[in-house]
Amino acid sequence: MFVYSNQFYYLQVINDIAINFSENCCELRLKDIERIVLTLMLFNFIPPNKRDILQVFANELRNPIRVPEINSYPKSFLSCVTYLATMGVMPLDLISTALQPSIVNSLQSSNNYSDIGREILELDYLIEVEIPQYEGHRLK
């Protein structure tokens, strides 16, 4: 049995794209930010010359101009926040926003969490394990 993977780790390419994205993050779509943070998470990679790259993306998600886009694409926002948290950046304000009832309700088509993806449960469990004193929104 052969297993093929389409995930290749080209350090210089990932580094260059990540740096470019961080320097131009105000021009990126939310989905672009989500994809670069996912890539950084998958390969557990932080560009050596841009150690604060995850904070740059977190700050961009806080930009009030992003609110309509976040409301239009709540799953991308949730995924991005989950990937940041997985990498150790725990922006409590963004986590609380991602777990607020209006976002959760927009993601689910029924009364359970099974149809909204693993990210929301992952984020809620991350909070429970890593930040037990957290007082923001949580899943019921």
Side-chain angles (χ1 to χ4, degrees), residues 3-10 14 35 38-39 41-44 118:
V3 177
Y4 293 99
S5 174
N6 61 356
Q7 295 179 1
F8 298 98
Y9 182 71
Y10 293 110
I14 294 171
R35 289 296 160 198
L38 171 64
T39 301
M41 183 200 70
L42 284 175
F43 296 113
N44 194 25
R118 66 176 163 70

